Amino acid sequence: MARKYDRKNDELRHYKINRFFQQHPAGSAMIEMGKTKVICAATVEEKVPNFLRGTGEGWLTAEYSLLPSATHTRTSREAARGKQTGRTQEIQRLIGRSLRSVLDMKALGERTIIIDCDVIQADGGTRTASITGAFIALVEACDTFFEPDSGKPFPVRDFLAAISVGVSTEGELLLDLDYDEDSSGVVDMNVVRTGEGNFVEIQGTGEGRPFTRDEMKKLIALAEKGIDELISYEKDILGNELVWKVGREG
């Protein structure tokens, strides 16, 4: 199977993250994975939900949306329909769970971080791109209130990235699926993992046929290869002023 742009089966699409993409949020980034583009923003509020008041712990929640013009066929705004789709709810819960997995809620304090992921162009992998881009925005946001001399740990405990993998109709294992590969493939899997190598989420579906245990192991290994590359890139773009803070214990 020949992939677009002569991409190898174990090769990521061209990727790029632009930091400080927006002026107003505490942290923001625009991530590109091939033709998929997502704006990720992190807003800090000095309050928490009622169930966390007085606990000294913070919270993180996420929202996800697809711009009407992001796909080949215009998609009506969910606000106009007055209801979120099940897909939207699933994705924003995944983003929130993933980011909370590397967040120290005590170190965050009684603050809420709201993550907004807005897809401006979709060509597969929007949920995984959202997680990777939102991680950068999260680190930036936490840096706005972190006090290095306080003796408290930095709220972000580890790096985080996500990627998709799958099996084509020809039985080939592919890394970082675009829309055509995702829609025609027989197996689709999304993997979220930390820098330390711990898995946050593995979502695998045999859409065309069941997949074997051996295929699952190989797909996860392929995803890890892509995640390692993305985390290395995250460290490069965060630079020396922020990389050392991630995982800092005091």
Side-chain angles (χ1 to χ4, degrees):
M1 173 184 176
R3 305 185 81 185
K4 294 177 185 175
Y5 313 111
D6 297 321
R7 188 159 58 107
K8 298 176 182 177
N9 288 358
D10 64 348
E11 185 179 355
L12 293 170
R13 290 177 286 180
H14 169 77
Y15 54 86
K16 182 179 180 182
I17 299 177
N18 290 329
R19 291 179 59 193
F20 308 117
F21 189 74
Q22 292 178 288
Q23 176 183 354
H24 301 296
S28 66
M30 204 271 274
I31 182 169
E32 301 179 38
M33 297 292 298
K35 292 184 178 179
T36 290
K37 300 180 180 181
V38 187
I39 298 173
C40 306
T43 302
V44 180
E45 293 187 347
E46 298 294 327
K47 59 182 181 180
V48 291
N50 289 338
F51 69 92
L52 286 174
R53 286 182 182 174
T55 65
E57 295 187 12
W59 187 244
L60 179 144
T61 187
E63 296 186 12
Y64 168 96
S65 69
L66 194 71
L67 208 68
S69 57
T71 56
H72 294 291
T73 304
R74 185 185 185 277
T75 305
S76 299
R77 296 183 191 273
E78 293 182 341
R81 297 198 298 265
K83 181 181 179 181
Q84 286 185 322
T85 65
R87 177 181 181 274
T88 295
Q89 293 178 23
E90 175 203 352
I91 292 175
Q92 59 192 29
R93 287 170 183 161
L94 171 64
I95 296 168
R97 284 196 305 271
S98 299
L99 294 172
R100 286 195 296 270
S101 74
V102 294
L103 195 58
D104 184 334
M105 297 303 179
K106 280 287 187 183
L108 180 59
E110 291 199 19
R111 298 182 178 90
T112 296
I113 296 181
I114 302 169
I115 300 292
D116 289 295
C117 295
D118 293 287
V119 180
I120 62 175
Q121 188 165 283
D123 186 31
T126 61
R127 71 187 68 195
T128 52
S130 295
I131 291 167
T132 304
F135 172 78
I136 297 298
L138 174 63
V139 174
E140 290 179 354
C142 288
D143 189 50
T144 62
F145 59 80
F146 176 64
E147 298 176 358
D149 299 328
S150 67
K152 295 182 180 179
F154 189 70
V156 182
R157 299 179 295 191
D158 196 4
F159 287 85
L160 181 80
I163 202 66
S164 65
V165 287
V167 180
S168 71
T169 52
E170 293 84 2
E172 296 182 67
L173 276 62
L174 305 177
L175 174 65
D176 190 16
L177 309 180
D178 63 22
Y179 175 78
D180 290 338
E181 293 170 336
D182 187 8
S183 59
S184 66
V186 296
V187 179
D188 176 30
M189 183 179 290
N190 298 302
V191 179
V192 187
R193 205 205 69 188
T194 69
E196 290 184 352
N198 298 316
F199 294 101
V200 179
E201 193 127 358
I202 299 174
Q203 300 178 337
T205 305
E207 298 178 349
R209 61 164 173 79
F211 53 94
T212 67
R213 185 181 298 272
D214 183 59
E215 285 177 322
M216 181 177 69
K217 290 180 180 178
K218 290 178 179 177
L219 284 171
I220 292 173
L222 187 60
E224 289 200 272
K225 177 182 183 295
I227 288 171
D228 284 339
E229 184 175 337
L230 288 173
I231 288 178
S232 177
Y233 177 63
E234 288 175 346
K235 292 177 180 179
D236 287 342
I237 66 165
L238 284 174
N240 293 334
E241 80 275 13
L242 285 180
V243 165
W244 69 275
K245 293 180 181 178
V246 176
R248 176 187 167 122
E249 297 183 356

